[in-house]
């Protein structure tokens, strides 16, 4: 009878230890999640400094500037908000435009350049295997640039 009681208390002790470990695991996951969110936020803020082209500015100067931000009126903050939104939208449109330019079809001059390359290199094998295309005219400008870099 005594051994049953002893076993029960050992079991209770093990359960308590398990509960403590489970709690520590939950806390660790929570802090890990918070760290990821904080890291993401800091990366976003750093990217904004880069967009504003002040990421290389002296830290003390930036801190002083940010402290003075608190003194700006709500009307001025709204103006700054609109300016920031416009700049980010402009950058987004430029990125989209740049991607579209890379997707355009090749010009005759670019096709002739690839034909010259094909005389000394087996570019058609790459075109069919990597790009899954059969004709030079089907290549995008981005694929053209990849071929030119590879063989020049």
């Amino acid at each position: 009878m005594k051994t049953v009681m002893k076993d029960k208390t050992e079991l209770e002790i093990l359960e308590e230890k398990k509960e403590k470990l489970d709690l520590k695991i939950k806390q660790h996951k929570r802090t890990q999640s918070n760290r990821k969110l904080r890291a993401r936020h800091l990366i976003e803020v750093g990217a904004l400094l880069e967009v504003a082209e002040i990421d290389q500015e002296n830290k003390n100067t930036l801190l002083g500037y940010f402290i003075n931000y608190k003194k700006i009126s709500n009307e001025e903050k709204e103006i700054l908000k609109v300016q920031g939104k416009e700049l980010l939208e402009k950058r987004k449109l430029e990125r989209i435009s740049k991607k579209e330019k890379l997707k355009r079809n090749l010009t005759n001059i670019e096709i002739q350049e690839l034909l010259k390359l094909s005389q000394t290199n087996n570019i058609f094998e790459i075109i069919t295997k990597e790009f899954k295309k059969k004709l030079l005219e089907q290549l995008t400008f981005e694929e053209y640039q990849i071929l030119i870099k590879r063989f020049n």
Side-chain angles (χ1 to χ4, degrees):
M1 195 73 151
K2 289 181 182 177
T3 56
V4 171
M5 286 298 263
K6 185 178 179 184
D7 287 343
K8 193 173 186 181
T9 56
E10 286 178 13
L11 183 62
E12 288 172 351
I13 291 170
L14 287 174
E15 285 177 359
E16 286 176 15
K17 286 182 178 180
K18 182 186 176 292
E19 287 176 16
K20 287 179 184 178
L21 287 173
D22 287 342
L23 183 64
K24 282 184 179 181
I25 289 170
K26 285 181 185 176
Q27 289 173 342
H28 177 72
K29 285 182 179 178
R30 213 176 293 130
T31 55
Q32 191 175 17
S33 174
N34 288 343
R35 271 187 259 139
K36 286 181 181 179
L37 290 173
R38 182 175 183 271
R40 179 182 176 150
H41 173 73
L42 292 174
I43 289 168
E44 288 173 349
V45 171
L48 291 174
L49 293 173
E50 189 176 22
V51 168
E53 297 178 358
I54 58 173
D55 58 318
Q56 300 300 316
E57 194 64 51
N58 178 285
K59 290 186 286 186
N60 296 325
T61 305
L62 287 174
L63 182 58
Y65 183 78
F66 296 142
I67 290 169
N68 282 320
Y69 174 80
K70 293 178 183 180
K71 299 175 188 173
I72 295 175
S73 70
N74 287 336
E75 294 82 23
E76 289 175 303
K77 287 180 183 178
E78 271 305 309
I79 293 170
L80 293 173
K81 184 178 177 180
V82 169
Q83 289 174 344
K85 186 176 180 177
E86 287 174 355
L87 178 60
L88 289 175
E89 188 62 31
K90 178 184 172 191
R91 287 173 52 90
K92 181 179 178 180
L93 291 174
E94 287 172 355
R95 256 191 333 273
I96 291 170
S97 173
K98 188 176 179 182
K99 283 182 183 179
E100 289 301 315
K101 286 179 184 174
L102 290 176
K103 291 181 181 178
R104 72 167 172 78
N105 291 334
L106 300 183
T107 64
N108 287 337
I109 295 170
E110 293 161 345
I111 291 172
Q112 288 173 357
E113 190 174 350
L114 288 176
L115 287 171
K116 287 179 187 175
L117 266 178
S118 71
Q119 292 173 353
T120 55
N121 303 292
N122 191 3
I123 66 167
F124 291 103
E125 184 178 329
I126 295 167
I127 291 170
T128 54
K129 284 185 179 178
E130 291 184 28
F131 304 137
K132 309 285 189 253
K133 308 267 172 85
K134 294 181 181 178
L135 301 171
L136 291 176
E137 292 83 359
Q138 295 174 331
L139 292 175
T140 63
F141 183 69
E142 185 176 22
E143 294 164 338
Y144 163 79
Q145 286 183 317
I146 291 169
L147 288 169
I148 295 298
K149 284 180 186 175
R150 189 175 293 179
F151 293 108
N152 280 342

